[in-house]
Protein backbone atom coordinates (compact mmCIF):
# COMPACT_ATOMS: atom_id res chain seq x y z
CA UNK A 1 0.00 0.00 0.00
CA UNK A 2 1.32 3.43 -0.87
CA UNK A 3 1.77 5.48 2.28
CA UNK A 4 -0.80 8.19 2.98
CA UNK A 5 0.33 11.50 4.47
CA UNK A 6 -0.06 11.95 8.20
CA UNK A 7 -3.31 13.60 9.10
CA UNK A 8 -5.20 15.01 12.04
CA UNK A 9 -8.98 14.91 12.24
CA UNK A 10 -10.20 17.33 14.84
CA UNK A 11 -13.62 17.53 16.47
CA UNK A 12 -15.07 14.19 15.39
CA UNK A 13 -17.81 12.56 17.42
CA UNK A 14 -17.34 8.95 18.50
CA UNK A 15 -20.30 6.53 18.58
CA UNK A 16 -20.49 7.03 22.37
CA UNK A 17 -20.97 10.77 21.82
CA UNK A 18 -17.46 11.82 22.89
CA UNK A 19 -15.86 14.56 20.81
CA UNK A 20 -12.23 13.72 20.04
CA UNK A 21 -9.23 14.57 17.91
CA UNK A 22 -7.70 11.73 15.93
CA UNK A 23 -4.11 11.52 14.78
CA UNK A 24 -3.27 9.30 11.83
CA UNK A 25 0.28 8.21 11.07
CA UNK A 26 1.46 5.66 8.53
CA UNK A 27 -2.15 4.72 7.78
CA UNK A 28 -2.99 3.88 11.39
CA UNK A 29 -4.82 5.70 14.16
CA UNK A 30 -1.89 6.81 16.31
CA UNK A 31 -3.66 8.86 19.00
CA UNK A 32 -7.14 9.74 20.19
CA UNK A 33 -7.45 12.71 22.53
CA UNK A 34 -10.51 14.37 24.04
CA UNK A 35 -11.41 17.48 22.04
CA UNK A 36 -11.58 19.51 25.25
CA UNK A 37 -7.89 18.84 25.79
CA UNK A 38 -5.82 21.54 24.16
CA UNK A 39 -3.34 20.16 21.68
CA UNK A 40 -1.54 21.57 18.72
CA UNK A 41 -1.15 20.10 15.29
CA UNK A 42 2.44 19.69 14.08
CA UNK A 43 2.98 22.10 11.21
CA UNK A 44 3.85 19.31 8.77
CA UNK A 45 0.55 17.51 9.36
CA UNK A 46 -2.64 18.26 7.44
CA UNK A 47 -5.51 19.01 9.78
CA UNK A 48 -9.21 18.62 8.97
CA UNK A 49 -11.87 20.08 11.25
CA UNK A 50 -14.93 17.80 11.21
CA UNK A 51 -16.86 20.33 13.32
CA UNK A 52 -18.59 17.70 15.42
CA UNK A 53 -19.55 15.36 12.60
CA UNK A 54 -19.97 11.64 13.31
CA UNK A 55 -17.16 9.14 13.06
CA UNK A 56 -17.82 5.55 11.92
CA UNK A 57 -15.32 2.81 11.23
CA UNK A 58 -15.31 1.95 7.49
CA UNK A 59 -18.34 -0.14 6.58
CA UNK A 60 -18.01 -3.84 5.80
CA UNK A 61 -20.07 -5.43 3.04
CA UNK A 62 -19.66 -9.10 3.89
CA UNK A 63 -21.76 -10.41 1.00
CA UNK A 64 -21.85 -8.86 -2.46
CA UNK A 65 -21.81 -10.00 -6.10
CA UNK A 66 -20.01 -7.15 -7.79
CA UNK A 67 -18.88 -9.09 -10.86
CA UNK A 68 -22.33 -9.10 -12.36
CA UNK A 69 -23.86 -5.81 -11.34
CA UNK A 70 -25.48 -3.77 -14.10
CA UNK A 71 -24.90 -0.51 -12.23
CA UNK A 72 -23.96 2.25 -14.68
CA UNK A 73 -25.47 0.42 -17.67
CA UNK A 74 -28.82 1.25 -19.31
CA UNK A 75 -31.84 0.19 -17.26
CA UNK A 76 -32.38 -3.56 -17.34
CA UNK A 77 -35.99 -4.45 -18.11
CA UNK A 78 -36.62 -7.29 -15.70
CA UNK A 79 -39.07 -9.92 -16.98
CA UNK A 80 -37.53 -12.86 -15.15
CA UNK A 81 -39.58 -15.84 -13.94
CA UNK A 82 -40.18 -16.50 -10.25
CA UNK A 83 -37.93 -19.47 -9.48
CA UNK A 84 -34.28 -19.54 -8.46
CA UNK A 85 -33.43 -21.54 -11.59
CA UNK A 86 -35.24 -18.95 -13.77
CA UNK A 87 -32.97 -16.27 -12.32
CA UNK A 88 -29.77 -18.29 -12.66
CA UNK A 89 -30.51 -19.36 -16.28
CA UNK A 90 -31.61 -15.85 -17.28
CA UNK A 91 -28.49 -14.28 -15.83
CA UNK A 92 -26.16 -16.72 -17.53
CA UNK A 93 -27.84 -16.11 -20.89
CA UNK A 94 -27.94 -12.32 -20.53
CA UNK A 95 -24.35 -12.02 -19.42
CA UNK A 96 -23.06 -13.88 -22.49
CA UNK A 97 -25.44 -12.10 -24.92
CA UNK A 98 -24.54 -8.63 -23.63
CA UNK A 99 -20.86 -9.29 -23.03
CA UNK A 100 -21.02 -8.05 -19.42
CA UNK A 101 -17.43 -7.46 -18.37
CA UNK A 102 -16.66 -8.23 -14.75
CA UNK A 103 -13.64 -5.93 -14.55
CA UNK A 104 -15.59 -2.89 -15.77
CA UNK A 105 -18.66 -3.65 -13.70
CA UNK A 106 -16.82 -4.54 -10.50
CA UNK A 107 -14.64 -1.42 -10.78
CA UNK A 108 -17.77 0.70 -11.13
CA UNK A 109 -19.48 -0.89 -8.13
CA UNK A 110 -16.29 -0.69 -6.07
CA UNK A 111 -16.10 3.05 -6.71
CA UNK A 112 -19.71 3.47 -5.60
CA UNK A 113 -19.02 1.39 -2.49
CA UNK A 114 -16.02 3.54 -1.58
CA UNK A 115 -18.05 6.71 -2.06
CA UNK A 116 -20.58 5.29 0.40
CA UNK A 117 -17.93 4.52 3.02
CA UNK A 118 -17.37 0.81 2.46
CA UNK A 119 -13.75 -0.11 3.14
CA UNK A 120 -14.03 -3.92 3.05
CA UNK A 121 -16.07 -6.22 0.84
CA UNK A 122 -16.43 -9.98 0.51
CA UNK A 123 -17.67 -10.62 -3.00
CA UNK A 124 -18.88 -13.87 -4.54
CA UNK A 125 -17.65 -14.36 -8.08
CA UNK A 126 -19.54 -16.67 -10.40
CA UNK A 127 -17.55 -19.56 -11.73
CA UNK A 128 -19.16 -21.91 -14.22
CA UNK A 129 -18.38 -23.94 -17.29
CA UNK A 130 -19.64 -21.24 -19.67
CA UNK A 131 -17.69 -18.22 -18.44
CA UNK A 132 -14.89 -20.16 -16.79
CA UNK A 133 -12.65 -17.84 -14.79
CA UNK A 134 -13.32 -14.67 -16.81
CA UNK A 135 -15.47 -13.14 -14.05
CA UNK A 136 -12.92 -14.12 -11.43
CA UNK A 137 -9.99 -12.71 -13.41
CA UNK A 138 -11.79 -9.38 -13.88
CA UNK A 139 -12.53 -9.01 -10.17
CA UNK A 140 -8.96 -9.95 -9.22
CA UNK A 141 -7.65 -7.28 -11.60
CA UNK A 142 -9.97 -4.69 -10.03
CA UNK A 143 -8.93 -5.86 -6.55
CA UNK A 144 -5.24 -5.35 -7.34
CA UNK A 145 -5.77 -1.93 -8.91
CA UNK A 146 -7.95 -0.65 -6.05
CA UNK A 147 -6.16 -2.24 -3.12
CA UNK A 148 -5.28 1.15 -1.61
CA UNK A 149 -8.92 2.16 -1.55
CA UNK A 150 -10.91 -1.00 -0.80
CA UNK A 151 -10.05 -4.37 0.71
CA UNK A 152 -11.63 -7.02 -1.50
CA UNK A 153 -12.04 -10.65 -0.46
CA UNK A 154 -13.07 -13.00 -3.25
CA UNK A 155 -15.25 -16.11 -2.93
CA UNK A 156 -15.08 -18.80 -5.62
CA UNK A 157 -18.80 -19.33 -6.11
CA UNK A 158 -20.61 -22.02 -8.16
CA UNK A 159 -23.70 -19.93 -8.97
CA UNK A 160 -24.91 -22.25 -11.73
CA UNK A 161 -24.49 -25.43 -9.70
CA UNK A 162 -21.38 -27.41 -8.94
CA UNK A 163 -21.76 -31.20 -9.11
CA UNK A 164 -24.68 -30.73 -11.52
CA UNK A 165 -22.25 -29.05 -13.97
CA UNK A 166 -19.20 -31.27 -14.36
CA UNK A 167 -16.03 -29.25 -14.74
CA UNK A 168 -17.05 -26.59 -12.23
CA UNK A 169 -15.03 -28.02 -9.33
CA UNK A 170 -11.82 -27.94 -11.39
CA UNK A 171 -12.48 -24.27 -12.24
CA UNK A 172 -13.14 -23.43 -8.58
CA UNK A 173 -9.88 -25.09 -7.64
CA UNK A 174 -8.08 -23.05 -10.28
CA UNK A 175 -9.55 -19.90 -8.72
CA UNK A 176 -8.43 -21.02 -5.25
CA UNK A 177 -4.93 -21.65 -6.56
CA UNK A 178 -4.98 -18.18 -8.13
CA UNK A 179 -5.85 -16.26 -5.01
CA UNK A 180 -9.56 -16.73 -4.17
CA UNK A 181 -9.82 -16.35 -0.41
CA UNK A 182 -12.98 -18.34 0.32
CA UNK A 183 -14.81 -21.34 -1.14
CA UNK A 184 -18.53 -20.83 -1.69
CA UNK A 185 -21.40 -23.29 -1.75
CA UNK A 186 -25.01 -23.01 -2.88
CA UNK A 187 -28.22 -24.74 -1.81
CA UNK A 188 -26.82 -28.27 -1.64
CA UNK A 189 -30.19 -30.01 -2.00
CA UNK A 190 -32.12 -27.82 -4.42
CA UNK A 191 -29.38 -26.93 -6.91
CA UNK A 192 -27.04 -29.92 -6.99
CA UNK A 193 -29.68 -32.26 -5.45
CA UNK A 194 -26.88 -33.94 -3.55
CA UNK A 195 -26.41 -32.27 -0.16
CA UNK A 196 -23.79 -34.69 1.13
CA UNK A 197 -21.76 -34.67 -2.09
CA UNK A 198 -21.96 -30.89 -2.45
CA UNK A 199 -20.86 -30.13 1.11
CA UNK A 200 -18.19 -32.84 1.20
CA UNK A 201 -16.67 -31.33 -1.95
CA UNK A 202 -16.77 -27.77 -0.56
CA UNK A 203 -15.20 -28.73 2.75
CA UNK A 204 -12.60 -30.88 1.00
CA UNK A 205 -11.55 -27.80 -1.03
CA UNK A 206 -11.53 -25.71 2.16
CA UNK A 207 -9.14 -28.16 3.80
CA UNK A 208 -6.82 -28.55 0.81
CA UNK A 209 -6.54 -24.83 0.09
CA UNK A 210 -6.84 -23.72 3.73
CA UNK A 211 -9.67 -21.29 3.04
CA UNK A 212 -12.87 -20.28 4.81
CA UNK A 213 -16.32 -21.48 3.70
CA UNK A 214 -19.39 -19.37 2.86
CA UNK A 215 -22.54 -21.22 1.79
CA UNK A 216 -25.60 -19.54 0.23
CA UNK A 217 -28.57 -21.24 1.82
CA UNK A 218 -31.96 -20.19 0.47
CA UNK A 219 -33.50 -23.59 1.20
CA UNK A 220 -36.62 -23.20 3.34
CA UNK A 221 -37.71 -24.68 6.65
CA UNK A 222 -36.77 -28.31 7.35
CA UNK A 223 -34.85 -28.72 4.10
CA UNK A 224 -32.61 -25.76 4.93
CA UNK A 225 -32.36 -26.90 8.53
CA UNK A 226 -30.99 -30.24 7.33
CA UNK A 227 -28.34 -28.36 5.38
CA UNK A 228 -27.43 -26.36 8.51
CA UNK A 229 -26.96 -29.64 10.38
CA UNK A 230 -24.82 -31.10 7.60
CA UNK A 231 -22.69 -27.93 7.47
CA UNK A 232 -22.25 -28.03 11.26
CA UNK A 233 -21.16 -31.71 11.12
CA UNK A 234 -18.51 -30.91 8.53
CA UNK A 235 -17.35 -27.80 10.35
CA UNK A 236 -16.76 -29.91 13.47
CA UNK A 237 -15.10 -32.76 11.57
CA UNK A 238 -12.62 -30.42 9.89
CA UNK A 239 -12.04 -28.24 12.96
CA UNK A 240 -13.21 -25.23 10.90
CA UNK A 241 -14.93 -23.47 13.82
CA UNK A 242 -14.91 -19.70 13.25
CA UNK A 243 -14.27 -20.17 9.52
CA UNK A 244 -17.75 -20.90 8.17
CA UNK A 245 -20.60 -18.56 7.21
CA UNK A 246 -24.12 -19.49 6.21
CA UNK A 247 -25.51 -16.71 4.04
CA UNK A 248 -29.25 -15.90 4.05
CA UNK A 249 -30.21 -18.93 6.17
CA UNK A 250 -33.93 -18.28 5.65
CA UNK A 251 -34.64 -21.64 7.29
CA UNK A 252 -33.70 -20.26 10.71
CA UNK A 253 -36.95 -18.32 10.64
CA UNK A 254 -38.95 -21.08 8.94
CA UNK A 255 -38.98 -23.87 11.50
CA UNK A 256 -40.66 -23.96 14.89
CA UNK A 257 -39.15 -22.16 17.86
CA UNK A 258 -37.62 -25.18 19.53
CA UNK A 259 -36.01 -26.35 16.28
CA UNK A 260 -34.61 -22.84 15.75
CA UNK A 261 -33.18 -23.13 19.27
CA UNK A 262 -31.45 -26.40 18.39
CA UNK A 263 -30.01 -24.90 15.22
CA UNK A 264 -28.73 -21.89 17.19
CA UNK A 265 -26.98 -24.30 19.56
CA UNK A 266 -25.30 -25.94 16.58
CA UNK A 267 -24.20 -22.56 15.22
CA UNK A 268 -22.73 -21.58 18.58
CA UNK A 269 -21.04 -24.91 19.19
CA UNK A 270 -19.28 -24.67 15.82
CA UNK A 271 -18.89 -20.87 15.78
CA UNK A 272 -20.70 -20.62 12.44
CA UNK A 273 -21.64 -17.05 11.47
CA UNK A 274 -24.85 -15.97 9.76
CA UNK A 275 -25.11 -13.36 7.00
CA UNK A 276 -28.48 -11.69 6.64
CA UNK A 277 -29.22 -9.02 4.07
CA UNK A 278 -32.57 -8.22 5.65
CA UNK A 279 -35.41 -8.23 3.12
CA UNK A 280 -36.47 -11.70 2.00
CA UNK A 281 -39.78 -11.08 0.25
CA UNK A 282 -42.51 -13.40 1.46
CA UNK A 283 -39.99 -15.91 2.76
CA UNK A 284 -39.07 -16.38 6.38
CA UNK A 285 -35.90 -14.61 7.48
CA UNK A 286 -33.39 -15.43 10.19
CA UNK A 287 -34.43 -13.94 13.57
CA UNK A 288 -31.56 -11.47 13.79
CA UNK A 289 -32.22 -10.23 17.33
CA UNK A 290 -32.59 -13.73 18.75
CA UNK A 291 -29.39 -14.84 17.02
CA UNK A 292 -27.54 -11.78 18.32
CA UNK A 293 -28.78 -12.29 21.86
CA UNK A 294 -27.73 -15.93 21.74
CA UNK A 295 -24.22 -14.85 20.72
CA UNK A 296 -24.19 -16.00 17.09
CA UNK A 297 -21.80 -13.88 15.01
CA UNK A 298 -23.72 -11.85 12.44
CA UNK A 299 -22.77 -9.90 9.36
CA UNK A 300 -24.58 -8.28 6.45
CA UNK A 301 -24.15 -7.43 2.80
CA UNK A 302 -25.83 -5.80 -0.17
CA UNK A 303 -25.97 -9.10 -2.08
CA UNK A 304 -26.67 -8.63 -5.81
CA UNK A 305 -26.50 -4.91 -6.59
CA UNK A 306 -28.70 -3.75 -9.49
CA UNK A 307 -28.37 -6.97 -11.49
CA UNK A 308 -30.63 -9.30 -13.46
CA UNK A 309 -31.89 -10.76 -10.17
CA UNK A 310 -33.39 -7.46 -9.08
CA UNK A 311 -32.98 -3.69 -9.26
CA UNK A 312 -33.44 -2.75 -5.61
CA UNK A 313 -30.08 -3.24 -3.88
CA UNK A 314 -27.58 -0.39 -3.78
CA UNK A 315 -23.96 -0.35 -2.60
CA UNK A 316 -24.57 1.52 0.66
CA UNK A 317 -24.16 -0.19 4.03
CA UNK A 318 -26.07 2.49 5.92
CA UNK A 319 -29.01 1.67 3.67
CA UNK A 320 -28.38 -2.02 4.34
CA UNK A 321 -28.46 -1.46 8.10
CA UNK A 322 -31.73 0.43 7.65
CA UNK A 323 -33.24 -2.43 5.61
CA UNK A 324 -32.18 -5.03 8.17
CA UNK A 325 -33.76 -2.92 10.90
CA UNK A 326 -36.92 -2.56 8.83
CA UNK A 327 -37.21 -6.27 8.03
CA UNK A 328 -36.73 -7.19 11.67
CA UNK A 329 -39.18 -4.57 12.96
CA UNK A 330 -36.43 -2.92 15.01
CA UNK A 331 -37.54 0.20 16.88
CA UNK A 332 -35.48 0.47 20.06
CA UNK A 333 -32.01 2.01 20.02
CA UNK A 334 -30.42 -1.24 21.16
CA UNK A 335 -32.08 -3.03 18.24
CA UNK A 336 -30.89 -0.48 15.67
CA UNK A 337 -27.39 -0.91 17.12
CA UNK A 338 -27.51 -4.60 16.14
CA UNK A 339 -28.12 -3.67 12.49
CA UNK A 340 -25.27 -1.14 12.50
CA UNK A 341 -22.97 -3.63 14.19
CA UNK A 342 -23.63 -6.22 11.47
CA UNK A 343 -22.55 -3.68 8.83
CA UNK A 344 -19.34 -2.79 10.63
CA UNK A 345 -17.73 -4.75 13.48
CA UNK A 346 -19.78 -7.90 12.85
CA UNK A 347 -18.76 -8.09 9.20
CA UNK A 348 -15.15 -7.21 10.01
CA UNK A 349 -14.94 -10.10 12.45
CA UNK A 350 -16.49 -12.55 10.01
CA UNK A 351 -14.20 -11.70 7.11
CA UNK A 352 -11.14 -11.41 9.34
CA UNK A 353 -10.31 -7.70 8.98
CA UNK A 354 -7.30 -7.20 11.25
CA UNK A 355 -7.42 -4.60 14.08
CA UNK A 356 -10.64 -3.17 12.69
CA UNK A 357 -12.24 -0.34 14.63
CA UNK A 358 -11.72 3.07 16.17
CA UNK A 359 -8.86 2.29 18.53
CA UNK A 360 -5.25 3.41 18.59
CA UNK A 361 -3.39 1.00 16.29
CA UNK A 362 -6.40 0.33 14.04
CA UNK A 363 -6.04 1.05 10.32
CA UNK A 364 -7.47 4.51 9.63
CA UNK A 365 -10.45 3.16 7.66
CA UNK A 366 -12.96 5.83 8.60
CA UNK A 367 -16.22 7.45 7.55
CA UNK A 368 -17.40 10.89 8.64
CA UNK A 369 -20.95 12.14 8.11
CA UNK A 370 -23.40 14.74 9.35
CA UNK A 371 -25.96 13.74 11.93
CA UNK A 372 -27.20 14.06 15.48
CA UNK A 373 -25.96 10.62 16.34
CA UNK A 374 -25.04 7.35 14.63
CA UNK A 375 -28.53 5.88 14.73
CA UNK A 376 -30.03 8.96 13.13
CA UNK A 377 -27.37 8.78 10.42
CA UNK A 378 -28.48 5.25 9.66
CA UNK A 379 -32.00 6.52 9.02
CA UNK A 380 -31.09 9.77 7.23
CA UNK A 381 -28.15 8.31 5.28
CA UNK A 382 -26.40 11.62 4.63
CA UNK A 383 -23.70 11.96 1.94
CA UNK A 384 -20.38 10.65 3.16
CA UNK A 385 -18.49 13.83 4.06
CA UNK A 386 -15.13 12.11 4.23
CA UNK A 387 -13.97 8.53 3.74
CA UNK A 388 -10.45 7.35 4.56
CA UNK A 389 -8.83 4.04 3.68
CA UNK A 390 -5.54 3.38 5.40
CA UNK A 391 -5.34 7.09 6.22
CA UNK A 392 -5.78 8.08 2.56
CA UNK A 393 -8.74 10.26 1.59
CA UNK A 394 -10.76 8.20 -0.91
CA UNK A 395 -14.00 10.20 -0.88
CA UNK A 396 -14.61 13.79 0.06
CA UNK A 397 -17.81 15.81 -0.13
CA UNK A 398 -16.46 18.60 2.01
ZN1 LIG B 1 -25.62 -13.81 -2.58
Amino acid sequence: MTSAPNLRLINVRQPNGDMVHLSIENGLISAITPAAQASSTPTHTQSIDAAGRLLFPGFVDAHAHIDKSLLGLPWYHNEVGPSLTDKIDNERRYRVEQGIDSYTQSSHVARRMINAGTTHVRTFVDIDTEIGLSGFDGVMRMRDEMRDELTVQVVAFPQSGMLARPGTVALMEAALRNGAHVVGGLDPSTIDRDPKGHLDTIFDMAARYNVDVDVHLHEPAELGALSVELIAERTAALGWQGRVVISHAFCLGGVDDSYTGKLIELLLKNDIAIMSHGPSGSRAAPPVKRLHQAGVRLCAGNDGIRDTWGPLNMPDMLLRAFLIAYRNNFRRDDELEIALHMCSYGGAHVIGAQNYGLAVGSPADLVIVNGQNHLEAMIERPPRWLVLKGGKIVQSAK
Side-chain angles (χ1 to χ4, degrees):
M1 188 175 279
T2 53
S3 62
N6 294 343
L7 188 65
R8 234 167 102 73
L9 295 173
I10 60 174
N11 300 315
V12 285
R13 195 175 294 281
Q14 299 250 49
N16 64 5
D18 290 352
M19 188 92 84
V20 297
H21 301 327
L22 223 69
S23 297
I24 296 165
E25 290 177 49
N26 302 317
L28 305 177
I29 300 172
S30 59
I32 303 172
T33 51
Q37 200 171 301
S39 60
S40 62
T41 301
T43 48
H44 62 279
T45 300
Q46 185 191 357
S47 180
I48 297 173
D49 188 348
R53 289 183 176 84
L54 308 167
L55 176 68
F56 284 92
F59 301 123
V60 180
D61 187 333
H63 185 118
H65 296 260
I66 64 178
D67 56 317
K68 52 189 184 179
S69 171
L70 305 178
L71 203 63
L73 297 175
W75 178 256
Y76 172 72
H77 295 284
N78 191 320
E79 294 167 337
V80 187
S83 76
L84 192 61
T85 332
D86 289 336
K87 294 178 175 69
I88 292 171
D89 291 347
N90 172 68
E91 175 175 68
R92 215 171 43 234
R93 190 172 51 244
Y94 181 81
R95 187 165 44 195
V96 173
E97 277 171 13
Q98 300 294 316
I100 302 299
D101 176 62
S102 86
Y103 167 72
T104 307
Q105 290 313 111
S106 62
S107 302
H108 191 73
V109 180
R111 175 51 54 198
R112 292 284 294 266
M113 287 179 158
I114 292 163
N115 291 349
T118 294
T119 54
H120 297 74
V121 58
R122 170 179 283 187
T123 192
F124 293 75
V125 180
D126 288 7
I127 289 173
D128 68 34
T129 48
E130 260 172 41
I131 62 166
L133 294 179
S134 61
F136 171 77
D137 291 340
V139 172
M140 292 299 275
R141 183 177 155 207
M142 175 280 294
R143 182 195 73 135
D144 290 344
E145 285 182 7
M146 301 185 80
R147 66 185 334 138
D148 286 357
E149 300 178 85
L150 179 68
T151 300
V152 180
Q153 197 176 73
V154 174
V155 187
F157 181 53
Q159 175 75 82
S160 306
M162 190 177 71
L163 303 181
R165 295 179 70 87
T168 305
V169 171
L171 288 165
M172 291 172 69
E173 293 206 29
L176 290 165
R177 278 194 299 276
N178 288 320
H181 308 89
V182 179
V183 60
L186 171 68
D187 293 329
S189 294
T190 50
I191 299 292
D192 275 352
R193 305 182 72 81
D194 179 1
K196 188 174 176 303
H198 182 94
L199 292 171
D200 283 345
T201 305
I202 298 288
F203 277 84
D204 175 59
M205 281 192 267
R208 284 189 292 112
Y209 294 95
N210 189 23
V211 291
D212 290 4
V213 174
D214 199 324
V215 180
H216 275 63
L217 191 59
H218 308 89
E219 293 166 355
E222 278 75 12
L223 184 60
L226 171 65
S227 292
V228 172
E229 292 175 4
L230 296 176
I231 290 168
E233 280 172 14
R234 282 152 184 79
T235 303
L238 194 60
W240 237 235
Q241 294 88 348
R243 302 190 65 177
V244 176
V245 181
I246 302 178
S247 284
H248 301 304
F250 297 136
C251 62
L252 294 177
V255 292
D256 66 46
D257 263 14
S258 66
Y259 197 177
T260 300
K262 285 181 190 150
L263 295 173
I264 288 175
E265 279 173 34
L266 274 182
L267 298 174
L268 289 171
K269 192 171 164 207
N270 295 288
D271 196 8
I272 294 171
I274 296 295
M275 191 297 298
S276 179
H277 74 301
S280 56
S282 55
R283 290 176 293 198
V288 164
K289 186 174 179 182
R290 181 174 175 185
L291 290 164
H292 171 79
Q293 287 177 332
V296 175
R297 288 184 300 125
L298 296 169
C299 61
N302 287 310
D303 205 12
I305 296 161
R306 289 276 301 275
D307 56 21
T308 62
W309 291 63
L312 300 179
N313 288 331
M314 291 296 286
D316 182 343
M317 292 308 288
L318 280 182
L319 173 60
R320 183 56 44 192
F322 173 87
L323 291 171
I324 289 166
Y326 215 111
R327 177 63 180 84
N328 287 277
N329 197 24
F330 287 171
R331 293 160 191 266
R332 292 166 50 94
D333 284 13
D334 57 356
E335 295 172 334
L336 300 181
E337 294 280 7
I338 298 171
L340 266 186
H341 189 270
M342 290 168 70
C343 298
S344 52
Y345 291 90
H349 197 266
V350 167
I351 72 165
Q354 298 293 311
N355 296 323
Y356 175 89
L358 298 176
V360 171
S362 296
D365 297 343
L366 308 171
V367 185
I368 298 175
V369 299
N370 286 324
Q372 281 185 50
N373 62 43
H374 292 70
L375 299 180
E376 193 217 33
M378 172 179 142
I379 313 302
E380 291 276 353
R381 302 187 298 283
R384 310 309 121 97
W385 190 73
L386 198 68
V387 180
L388 302 183
K389 174 67 177 172
K392 173 182 164 184
I393 296 173
V394 291
Q395 148 71 10
S396 172
K398 71 185 186 66

